[in-house]
Amino acid sequence: MALLFLSKGDDPVKWSAALRVHLPDLDIRVWPETGNIEDIEAAMVWMHPPGELKRYPKLRLILSLGAGVNHVLDDPDLPPGVPIARMVDPGLTAGMVEYAVAGVLRYHRNFDVYERFQRESRWKKLPTPDTARRGIGVLGLGEIGGACAQALSAFGFAVAGWSRTPKSLEGVTGYFGAEGLKPFLARTDILLCVLPLTAATRGIINRELLAALPKGAFVINIARGGHVVDRDLIASLDSGHIAGALLDVFEPEPLPSDHPYWHHPKVTLTPHIASLTNPETAVLPIVENLKRLKSGAPLLNLVDRVSGY
Ligand code: GLV
């Protein structure tokens, strides 16, 4: 069995070394040096060229190098019936949780405002914020969103989560489905988006959603750029309804240098670094799935192509 490595963003040398620690005999082919395409039974991918994966007649498993799999499912020529596994890695999740906590604390403790005061040489104290009354709303309670919600709950915030289907997490008030969205938004001072990008969630952070947040709310997006309608977010920042936005993901990436986000005074942005996959830890679920593929055991972390995550 040969494994195809196909990613322009990930280092094939580091990944091959990490794989060989666990599977010393694994035949790894780094795209585009595929060798005989009939040998390829599994492919590790991030942003593959559309149509590429259907060229491998014996392909039995697609392993996403990202937690989000929209980059795989966006391919209109994806070979039908081949299982797709998302990346589930405690190291990746921990990085996302750190970023989410840093972002929430930044707004909660007014660091954005104090940064401005410093630039103006102003010595001014703002009222101490009440953690237990600060409503944090986590959109998406999957592997990563659930971990973010629980970490924020441990700080004493009033954390709620919204998901498509009901989920129950300790310390997190759950809302779900279309009817749960408005009441969830009404009690959210800081919104954290950790949704998968699907046909149902594309553009979810739009004018209507933003208007349903209380005045002065903040938005943090660590999911996908496609969740946000940029012009609606900018309009609500400009009107003062939304007080600030922390954005790690964009559409397209890299964010074009003339995009208004770059210089918007209420936007803080980072270049899709909320969590970077570390091959040493992230290789473990991949190795496990490759072993399962070989032995015929049930595969882990499989994606439902219909729901899109
Ligand atoms: C990165 O964005 C990922 O999906 O892991």
Side-chain angles (χ1 to χ4, degrees):
M1 168 169 91
L3 170 73
L4 177 70
F5 181 91
L6 199 181
S7 166
K8 284 180 213 145
D10 299 272
D11 182 350
V13 177
K14 284 201 184 122
W15 273 101
S16 301
L19 284 160
R20 291 224 168 86
V21 169
H22 304 276
L23 300 169
D25 301 327
L26 185 65
D27 178 358
I28 305 168
R29 314 271 175 90
V30 179
W31 189 84
E33 310 287 316
T34 60
N36 181 358
I37 54 172
E38 302 242 339
D39 301 337
I40 309 284
E41 289 184 53
M44 282 171 73
V45 302
W46 174 252
M47 307 262 226
H48 68 275
E52 177 63 22
L53 295 175
K54 74 162 190 229
R55 292 184 50 234
Y56 305 88
K58 304 263 169 69
L59 188 63
R60 292 195 290 143
L61 175 61
I62 299 169
L63 296 150
S64 168
L65 278 157
V69 291
N70 55 297
H71 66 104
V72 179
L73 297 175
D74 279 352
D75 180 348
D77 280 325
L78 204 59
V82 178
I84 303 162
R86 75 172 75 76
M87 172 61 70
V88 175
D89 165 35
L92 180 81
T93 303
M96 296 296 277
V97 169
E98 274 184 17
Y99 187 105
V101 168
V104 166
L105 289 178
R106 177 164 185 273
Y107 288 131
H108 176 61
R109 294 303 308 269
N110 299 307
F111 278 22
D112 56 329
V113 183
Y114 286 118
E115 280 162 17
R116 195 177 76 238
F117 286 176
Q118 182 178 353
R119 284 197 297 276
E120 297 165 356
S121 310
R122 266 175 91 189
W123 181 273
K124 181 176 159 58
K125 300 187 191 197
L126 300 171
T128 306
D130 184 348
T131 310
R133 283 163 175 262
R134 181 77 81 173
I136 312 294
V138 182
L139 271 178
L141 289 178
E143 194 72 29
I144 297 171
C148 291
Q150 289 200 299
L152 289 161
S153 160
F155 273 89
F157 289 112
V159 180
W162 180 83
S163 47
R164 193 171 64 94
T165 54
K167 296 242 166 78
S168 119
L169 282 177
E170 205 186 315
V172 179
T173 309
Y175 294 83
F176 67 94
E179 36 333 318
L181 191 56
K182 280 266 160 71
F184 161 83
L185 294 168
R187 44 90 57 221
T188 291
D189 302 312
I190 303 178
L191 181 74
L192 173 70
C193 178
V194 204
L195 287 166
L197 184 62
T198 66
T201 65
R202 174 167 283 282
I204 188 169
I205 302 183
N206 57 19
R207 196 196 333 200
E208 199 189 339
L209 177 146
L210 294 163
L213 288 167
K215 183 171 164 53
F218 298 92
V219 172
I220 302 175
N221 186 17
I222 57 174
R224 287 287 183 260
H227 288 118
V228 177
V229 178
D230 294 337
R231 63 175 182 280
D232 291 359
L233 177 59
I234 290 170
S236 52
L237 288 165
D238 289 343
S239 76
H241 183 70
I242 299 298
L246 170 61
L247 307 172
D248 183 54
V249 283
F250 306 91
E251 203 173 275
E253 291 181 6
L255 184 67
S257 58
D258 60 351
H259 197 284
Y261 281 150
W262 281 109
H263 299 291
H264 198 290
K266 293 182 185 165
V267 171
T268 302
L269 65 83
T270 49
H272 202 145
I273 49 74
S275 191
L276 298 176
T277 317
N278 169 10
E280 276 170 40
T281 57
V283 80
L284 297 173
I286 298 221
V287 166
E288 178 62 30
N289 260 340
L290 290 172
K291 287 185 178 160
R292 285 167 178 252
L293 186 68
K294 203 165 173 195
S295 71
L299 299 165
L300 302 178
N301 309 321
L302 290 184
V303 169
D304 173 1
R305 288 193 188 206
V306 177
S307 63
Y309 64 97

